[in-house]
Amino acid sequence: MGKQQRIVVKVGTSSLIYPNGQVNLRTIDRLAYTLATLNHQGYEMVLVSSGAIGVGLASLGLKKRPVEIAQQQALASIGQTELMRIYSQRFLDYQTKVGQILLTRDVLEYPVSRQHILNTIETLLGDSVVPIINENDPVSVDELDHHTTFSDNDELSAQVATKINADLLIVLSDIDAFYNKDPHKFSDAQPIRHVSKMTPELEQAASGSSTQFGTGGMVTKLRAAATIMQANQQMILCNGRDPKIIFHILDNNEESVGTRFGK
């Protein structure tokens, strides 16, 4: 793989929130350090971040995600503000500014609004500002007449990466790679290092989310990979425990890291 210039990084709730529900400040700090360092080196970095509801739960001292949509939206509203405060503070520690973009599916599907969003992202990147993108959870509900929601931020990150013609999408997860079976359940599960095309076997190997705080799982990551591959782009799925793994990927050592989707 040649040197990448425009990189989309997606980080999931499981990487940002500890199992006890508290915010994982160490991972956020390392993520900010890594993306800021690459930004200073001339890479165009875009962050798609989950975690608003998880941070909202932590902010209110709650342990369990509520079932009611309105309560989830309220938590997202509280959590998004807190999450961006943390990101802004951490990135500024490394002399990098960030900008917030909240999206719904219809905004990306409607040509006029999509172009405005793309113009905003291009302007931010041109000013060496890192766009931090999340779904606009307080207004995205399944009950609305038009389709506003992404199934999760895995799908959102793939849509963003394809529309801004990113060189690479890096998905940071709570798992080391894509496996031939669920490694949380099967001790003999083996990582698949390279996927060049989608197969029924891969879809069967995919499983649901392994944490109570997130919405994504291997199924959604496979969908994101399919979107990326259809656009002839590349995606790497790897463990987000230490975001400095991104340095390893961009140093052309990606063959030993996670799973690469695409040619």
Side-chain angles (χ1 to χ4, degrees):
M1 183 185 297
K3 184 178 180 181
Q4 312 300 323
Q5 293 298 326
R6 178 168 290 188
I7 314 295
V8 176
V9 175
K10 185 266 177 178
V11 62
T13 300
S14 60
S15 297
L16 301 176
I17 305 295
Y18 287 116
N20 66 2
Q22 295 301 307
V23 179
N24 189 335
L25 295 174
R26 182 171 70 171
T27 291
I28 293 177
D29 185 72
R30 289 178 175 177
L31 181 62
Y33 168 79
T34 301
L35 269 57
T37 299
L38 293 169
N39 181 59
H40 294 165
Q41 292 176 357
Y43 288 91
E44 296 179 332
M45 305 303 300
V46 177
L47 176 61
V48 176
S49 175
S50 300
I53 292 179
V55 174
L57 286 166
S59 179
L60 296 181
L62 303 176
K63 298 296 184 182
K64 186 176 181 181
R65 181 176 177 140
V67 176
E68 294 81 1
I69 290 178
Q71 291 186 10
Q72 292 186 34
Q73 291 177 299
L75 283 171
S77 178
I78 296 168
Q80 185 65 32
T81 302
E82 178 67 8
L83 181 61
M84 283 305 301
R85 184 191 67 78
I86 297 171
Y87 273 135
S88 180
Q89 180 187 64
R90 292 303 191 275
F91 272 90
L92 283 175
D93 284 343
Y94 303 112
Q95 291 77 52
T96 299
K97 295 185 182 299
V98 299
Q100 176 181 251
I101 299 177
L102 297 176
L103 295 177
T104 54
R105 178 187 287 274
D106 54 342
V107 169
L108 279 184
E109 290 185 348
Y110 184 59
V112 175
S113 57
R114 178 175 66 237
Q115 191 58 52
H116 285 310
I117 289 297
L118 296 179
N119 291 344
T120 299
I121 293 173
E122 291 291 342
T123 302
L124 290 171
L125 293 176
D127 291 335
S128 296
V129 177
V130 176
I132 298 182
I133 301 174
N134 198 355
E135 183 166 7
N136 196 353
D137 289 322
V139 301
S140 297
V141 292
D142 293 328
E143 288 78 5
L144 295 181
D145 291 335
H146 54 301
H147 193 26
T148 64
T149 61
F150 301 95
S151 61
D152 60 273
N153 277 348
D154 293 325
E155 182 182 358
L156 173 59
S157 67
Q159 292 289 340
V160 169
T162 56
K163 287 176 172 56
I164 68 171
N165 296 314
D167 295 294
L168 179 66
L169 168 62
I170 300 174
V171 176
L172 302 178
S173 183
D174 60 350
I175 196 169
D176 294 333
F178 189 88
Y179 286 77
N180 60 349
K181 61 180 74 173
D182 188 348
H184 295 104
K185 299 178 181 177
F186 301 96
S187 59
D188 61 341
Q190 296 296 315
I192 301 172
R193 293 301 180 189
H194 182 209
V195 174
S196 58
K197 65 178 181 179
M198 291 298 167
T199 66
E201 289 77 16
L202 287 174
E203 295 175 2
Q204 186 175 4
S207 61
S209 175
S210 61
T211 73
Q212 61 174 317
F213 300 104
T215 59
M218 287 302 107
V219 171
T220 61
K221 288 168 180 57
L222 207 60
R223 289 176 188 155
T227 298
I228 289 292
M229 293 168 68
Q230 287 170 5
N232 293 316
Q233 293 171 258
Q234 293 194 3
M235 168 181 141
I236 291 179
L237 170 66
C238 60
N239 199 307
R241 184 184 306 109
D242 186 351
K244 293 179 183 177
I245 195 173
I246 297 171
F247 290 139
H248 190 63
I249 292 171
L250 298 183
D251 284 339
N252 295 319
N253 296 316
E254 81 283 347
E255 293 297 338
S256 62
V257 176
T259 298
R260 176 166 59 94
F261 294 88
K263 296 180 180 179

